[in-house]
Amino acid sequence: MTDKISLNVNGKTHVIDADPDMPLLYALRNDIGLNNPRFGCGLAQCGACTVHLDGQPIRSCITPVSAVGAGRIVTLAGLGTPEKPHPLQTAYVEEQVPQCGYCINGWIMTAAAFLRDNKRPTEAQIKDALSGLKCRCGTHVSILRAVKRAAIQMS
Ligand code: FES
Ligand code: FES
């Protein structure tokens, strides 16, 4: 059984036919064509699927599409543009963080909300804020360098 569901994503309204219990992640990737949020664990354990809902990071793999309502969703593609990238996107390039790149979405979306609300964070605060994320390639040291670099830009 499907319903018509309206989603505000990166400033645009999308109306999709979907089972209300379907994860938001599937709507973003399969119905709307935004592939930055990734399917990692599907169990809220890795963060690869993170998007912002009204400015707060959520795990879209466990968020039913019907739970979003009129909330504003922002994905990594909506965080910055090639012409005007978010400081974290710039820092990821400058620090040459990615290896396979699968996890990037989760780290940047989580760090973006954290740095917006925490100017001049300590290293311990950054590590704590990002502690629920996984990178199987082991890029944690360069991720930390990139987040610190972006923190300076955003402070
Ligand atoms: S895919 Fe959502 S937290 Fe892992
Ligand atoms: S860069 Fe490969 S999982 Fe993080």
Side-chain angles (χ1 to χ4, degrees), residues 8-137:
N8 181 323
V9 184
N10 297 334
K12 286 189 190 159
T13 300
H14 300 265
V15 180
I16 63 169
D17 275 313
D19 180 329
D21 293 332
M22 183 178 80
L24 171 62
L25 176 63
Y26 299 178
L28 294 172
R29 291 183 60 88
N30 301 336
D31 294 281
I32 300 177
L34 291 167
N35 292 327
N36 293 130
R38 300 287 172 83
F39 185 96
C41 62
L43 297 166
Q45 300 291 308
C46 73
C49 63
T50 303
V51 299
H52 291 180
L53 176 58
D54 290 332
Q56 297 307 312
I58 62 160
R59 301 213 163 169
S60 63
C61 68
I62 57 153
T63 304
V65 72
S66 58
V68 174
R72 288 170 299 107
I73 299 160
V74 174
T75 70
L76 185 60
L79 207 59
T81 64
E83 297 73 33
K84 196 170 178 226
H86 186 282
L88 276 162
Q89 292 168 321
T90 304
Y92 255 64
V93 173
E94 288 172 341
E95 294 292 346
Q96 299 185 12
V97 176
Q99 291 198 24
C100 81
Y102 202 85
C103 67
I104 289 176
N105 174 76
W107 292 93
I108 291 187
M109 294 308 287
T110 305
F114 172 71
L115 294 181
R116 181 198 62 217
D117 296 338
N118 296 275
K119 309 296 178 199
R120 299 194 172 83
T122 64
E123 182 169 316
Q125 287 170 326
I126 295 171
K127 285 182 175 172
D128 186 52
L130 302 178
S131 62
L133 296 156
K134 305 279 186 296
C135 172
R136 296 182 71 118
C137 297

